[in-house]
Amino acid sequence: MNGTGKFPALLVLLSFFSCNRSNFTADLSDTPTSGNLKISVDASYQPLMDSEVNTFTSLYSLARIEVAYKPEADVINDLLNDSVKVAIANKKLSDEQEKYLNSRKCFPRTTKIAVDAIAFLVNKENPDTLLLLSQLKEILTGNISTWNKLNAKNKLDSIRIVFDNNSSGNTRFLKDKFLGDKNFPPNCYAVKTNPEVISYVQDHKNALGIIGVNWISDSDDEAANNFRKNIKVAALKNDTSSQNQEYYQPFQAYIALNQYPLTRDVYLINRESRHGLGTGFASFVAGDKGQRIVRLAGLLPATMPIRIVKVE
């Protein structure tokens, strides 16, 4: 009888520490600049976060950060089940997800760290590199399924829409934007990664590839430059806007000027309950050095102003 009476108090104690059990048992080496940290990142931001992590760990030699690049849905799940303390994605937690974490005494902090864009890629032999936003919607809903419906002079036939992953942030963003409760049409295909989308477009004349622009936005990155050599980046025009806009590609200046129509915020979500390495890394990415890395990666920093020089 006395033994069972102790269980309720023990359960309350375990519940209180369930949010941050690893920190409860961590040693004193876990500080904002030292220790071990696992983070999950939407694969669209691998080029950026490779640079952020490499710079941070070179500055703080006692810090070890293990990064897992995954589809957005898996990134959020990792955060919810306490597999990681930090996640990076282009969406905030939903109210339901926030309530779930709060019920476990977790109060995650969400920080906007960048603005990026969805990029649309076509094969180098495809003459159509200009798309109205209304045309893009017709393509994604299946109402336009051939290139010659966009342009009678285009000899290409069926449009093959290629995403990186069924559970990616790119897929979710466009579904929310254009489809609502509807599904993508039968001519949509998913590979596994953003680089695989680029390779597919390179090899298939009728493909329309969809990736996060970070994979092609850094003009100083050899891999990004090689990717751009082998494909064309489509320019979009928001024909539903009251302004007389031109066609714009998904690059930094046009993101900064709100001229490219399909941009999104990038968030760092930290569920760490103490000031450990997760908090230190979050502060770095949102701070001056981290934001400079965002700018150099070709994305729009959340806090650092961008100087736009117009050449006549």
Side-chain angles (χ1 to χ4, degrees), residues 12 22 30 59 81 86 104 114-115 132 138 150-151 168 176 179 197 203 208-209 229 238 245 255 268:
V12 170
S22 59
D30 184 22
L59 291 171
N81 64 31
V86 172
R104 302 185 65 196
V115 183
L132 297 172
E138 293 294 289
L150 289 174
N151 177 6
S168 74
D176 290 348
L179 275 69
V197 173
D203 297 335
L208 177 67
K229 288 178 183 177
N238 187 1
Q245 292 184 324
I255 295 173
L268 185 152

Side-chain angles (χ1 to χ4, degrees), residues 95-281:
D95 291 342
E96 183 179 351
Q97 291 165 342
E98 288 269 7
K99 288 178 182 178
Y100 168 75
L101 290 176
N102 292 168
S103 71
R104 302 185 65 196
K105 309 301 181 184
C106 291
F107 302 94
R109 299 178 297 281
T110 301
T111 305
K112 178 181 171 180
I113 60 171
V115 183
D116 89 316
I118 296 281
F120 295 85
L121 314 179
V122 297
N123 186 272
K124 293 191 74 173
E125 295 188 32
N126 191 331
D128 286 321
T129 59
L130 303 178
L131 291 172
L132 297 172
L133 207 60
S134 60
Q135 291 175 324
L136 183 62
K137 180 178 181 180
E138 293 294 289
I139 291 172
L140 293 174
T141 55
N143 293 325
I144 293 178
S145 58
T146 61
W147 288 105
N148 51 32
K149 281 189 178 180
L150 289 174
N151 177 6
K153 296 181 180 180
N154 193 330
K155 296 180 181 180
L156 298 175
D157 191 16
S158 300
I159 301 173
R160 293 179 68 89
I161 306 168
V162 187
F163 286 97
D164 54 328
N165 191 287
N166 285 325
S167 302
S168 74
N170 300 330
T171 309
R172 191 265 314 158
F173 177 86
L174 291 176
K175 190 175 190 303
D176 290 348
K177 179 75 175 179
F178 295 115
L179 275 69
D181 295 333
K182 298 179 180 178
N183 294 321
F184 285 103
N187 60 321
C188 277
Y189 305 89
V191 285
K192 293 182 179 179
T193 67
N194 286 265
E196 286 184 35
V197 173
I198 299 171
S199 296
Y200 188 93
V201 173
Q202 178 184 345
D203 297 335
H204 296 80
K205 296 179 182 180
N206 60 342
L208 177 67
I210 299 170
I211 65 169
V213 76
N214 186 211
W215 283 96
I216 55 172
S217 59
D218 187 348
S219 59
D220 294 325
D221 181 71
E222 183 178 356
N225 288 329
N226 287 334
F227 285 148
R228 287 200 302 272
K229 288 178 183 177
N230 296 317
I231 46 87
K232 293 179 180 178
V233 181
L236 303 184
K237 179 179 179 180
N238 187 1
D239 54 323
T240 62
S241 173
S242 59
Q243 298 178 350
N244 185 22
Q245 292 184 324
E246 298 179 0
Y247 290 89
Y248 297 101
Q249 290 181 305
F251 296 124
Q252 192 177 68
Y254 306 128
I255 295 173
L257 295 171
N258 293 317
Q259 291 172 324
Y260 188 76
L262 293 178
T263 63
R264 58 200 178 169
D265 295 336
V266 184
Y267 300 100
L268 185 152
I269 308 170
N270 178 19
R271 64 168 286 167
E272 195 174 55
S273 64
R274 61 188 295 274
H275 293 302
L277 186 55
T279 301
F281 181 67

